[in-house]
Amino acid sequence: MSTSTQTIWGYRRENGRVGIRNHVVILPLDDISNAACEAVAAHIRGTIALPHAYGRLQFGEDLELHFRTMIGTGANPNVAACIVIGIEPGWTQKVVDGIAKTGKPVAGFWIEGNGDIATVAAASRKAKEFVHFASEKVRVECPLTDVWIAAKCGESDTTTGLASCPTVGNMYDKLVPLGLYGCFGETSELTGAEHLAAARAVSPEISAKFMKTWSAYQKDVIEAHKTSDLSDSQPTKGNIAGGLTTIEEKALGNLEKIGKKVKFIDVLQPAEAPARGNGLYFMDTSSAAAECCTLQAAAGYALHIFPTGQGNVIGNPIMPVIKVSGNPRTVRVMSEHIDVDVSGIIRREMTIDQAGNALIDSIVRTSNGRYTAAEALGHVEFVMTKLYRSA
């Protein structure tokens, strides 16, 4: 079947989005509601709790990011229904109302004035109803390009820039022109290739928006807090072991993920949903794998492609993560973590075009329900991004 007519079987949600998983999420608004959420998930089979470390005394832009991430997580098309539990009703209801705009079932509960036991009991009853609702959802045939696909790389090495990242780029070159929503990020990991990234913007306006975002990160984060440079952070120890000795080398390989032809059409804040229609987007994110994946899932992306050289094992609780590797050693010694083996590129037994087709085949199979390696191994890393100290 040609890529232009390729379909998958997914869950068409109330707002028209297509999900490829069917989760009932128990979402804590704040860190002190984690225990209650985990208790509900322990009581009701078919639910998943997403404990995290934040949500108290945040303010300003940091608080807005928190709300975007919470609401976006519950609104993700891979989520069939959502329970929100917070310490108090105000902020809890704000998240409930945001998720409710998608039309999916959502309910909020709060602990103040009720206590854990009563809250867990009430939330568990509603969660059971939601599980029944979700279990009757039926997959329907949908265009492949209705599945929003994000990407980042991790534990990169020389093979990442030569094989696995170009594989992702080839996929985007084939699917974005057909209507796919794509996303790349990792602001710090574009250092040294920022001018090349800016040149791939769709217009001078978007190019300037990208450079403003990248420059702000350099000024407000790197220059404000560095000791000498990015040593011990960028490149990581694993990157250096894999042959990447400078951030510039790493950035050049990283940028291969966006392909040769596609231009990105907008610059997103962390966890911001794309609003300019189909196309490739850049999101201002940390280069830390779990943070980046959490932010992209909160922006509405349903599937993630993760090139890795040395062998990053990241997963996400609501967004399947497909691992792609071109490192023959990693494919051999960490085979249980790798979904798409493109090491044939290094051995000159596979072209990048063939690798891109193999990745698209894996995307179709994963969208139809096949577990990724990270899902099968239980990797459900959910990590919030925090901008500054709490009040």
Side-chain angles (χ1 to χ4, degrees):
M1 182 182 293
S2 70
T3 302
S4 61
T5 59
Q6 182 71 65
T7 60
I8 59 95
W9 291 85
Y11 299 98
R12 182 72 69 177
R13 298 303 181 194
E14 293 80 1
N15 62 354
R17 289 292 315 282
V18 170
I20 59 175
R21 296 296 183 264
N22 201 38
H23 300 298
V24 176
V25 166
I26 315 300
L27 185 65
L29 172 74
D30 43 64
D31 52 353
I32 55 178
S33 300
N34 287 339
C37 288
E38 290 174 304
V40 173
H43 292 157
I44 307 301
R45 186 176 181 181
T47 64
I48 180 171
L50 304 181
H52 59 83
Y54 300 130
R56 298 295 288 164
L57 300 180
Q58 293 179 251
F59 65 97
E61 186 180 356
D62 189 46
L63 180 59
E64 289 306 309
L65 171 58
H66 184 81
F67 281 131
R68 278 203 309 275
T69 307
M70 290 285 96
I71 292 170
T73 297
N76 186 284
N78 289 338
V79 176
C82 185
I83 298 287
V84 183
I85 300 178
I87 187 63
E88 52 80 34
W91 284 10
T92 302
Q93 192 61 45
K94 179 171 177 140
V95 173
V96 169
D97 291 344
I99 296 170
K101 292 178 181 178
T102 65
K104 72 180 62 181
V106 57
F109 302 86
W110 48 91
I111 299 168
E112 280 185 0
N114 298 298
D116 268 14
I117 294 174
T119 301
V120 169
S124 295
R125 291 187 183 96
K126 181 58 69 173
K128 178 178 176 291
E129 292 179 22
F130 285 174
V131 168
H132 286 305
F133 166 82
S135 67
E136 291 189 295
K137 287 289 183 180
V138 177
R139 289 180 180 265
V140 297
E141 192 169 15
C142 309
L144 170 60
T145 50
D146 278 2
V147 180
W148 293 13
I149 302 176
K152 86 167 295 294
C153 50
E155 285 300 293
S156 301
D157 61 15
T158 53
T159 70
T160 310
L162 293 172
S164 52
C165 279
T167 297
V168 177
N170 184 268
M171 177 273 294
Y172 275 148
D173 277 341
K174 289 171 177 172
L175 296 185
V176 170
L178 299 178
L180 183 77
Y181 281 72
C183 183
F184 71 109
E186 303 175 88
T187 306
S188 70
E189 286 193 9
L190 293 176
T191 301
E194 69 278 359
H195 60 297
L196 300 176
R200 293 292 297 277
V202 73
S203 68
E205 172 196 9
I206 300 304
S207 180
K209 188 176 181 181
F210 168 81
M211 285 305 298
K212 182 179 179 181
T213 300
W214 180 84
S215 298
Y217 189 91
Q218 291 293 313
K219 176 185 175 183
D220 298 337
V221 179
I222 303 300
E223 294 299 327
H225 301 291
K226 72 179 184 180
T227 51
S228 58
D229 53 21
L230 288 172
S231 296
D232 293 327
S233 177
Q234 291 281 23
T236 67
K237 297 296 186 183
N239 298 149
I240 294 169
L244 301 179
T245 60
T246 68
I247 184 60
E248 291 82 4
E249 289 177 343
K250 188 175 182 180
L252 291 171
N254 182 2
L255 200 56
E256 289 292 316
K257 291 199 303 294
I258 68 173
K260 303 297 184 184
K261 305 172 184 176
V262 176
K263 293 182 178 292
F264 63 93
I265 64 174
D266 202 3
V267 175
L268 305 174
Q269 297 181 65
E272 179 185 5
R276 295 200 179 198
N278 59 281
L280 181 65
Y281 289 79
F282 171 78
M283 181 185 289
D284 182 20
T285 75
S286 165
S287 297
E291 284 189 56
C292 183
C293 287
T294 299
L295 292 172
Q296 290 173 328
Y301 288 87
L303 180 61
H304 190 91
I305 314 300
F306 197 104
T308 184
Q310 296 291 91
N312 192 305
V313 299
I314 185 70
N316 184 270
I318 64 170
M319 177 180 67
V321 177
I322 294 176
K323 295 288 172 42
V324 185
S325 184
N327 185 319
R329 179 181 181 276
T330 297
V331 170
R332 184 178 72 253
V333 302
M334 297 182 66
S335 61
E336 73 271 27
H337 294 282
I338 306 304
D339 298 285
V340 184
D341 173 5
V342 297
S343 59
I345 294 173
I346 303 299
R347 295 189 299 270
R348 299 186 179 183
E349 299 168 356
M350 171 186 275
T351 66
I352 290 173
D353 185 64
Q354 290 170 332
N357 289 340
L359 174 56
I360 291 172
D361 178 68
S362 181
I363 288 169
V364 171
R365 295 165 67 193
T366 301
S367 297
N368 286 338
R370 182 183 188 273
Y371 271 21
T372 65
E375 287 178 293
L377 292 168
H379 280 279
V380 290
E381 289 79 19
F382 181 81
V383 178
M384 303 283 284
T385 295
K386 200 168 189 300
L387 300 180
Y388 46 75
R389 292 171 63 183
S390 302

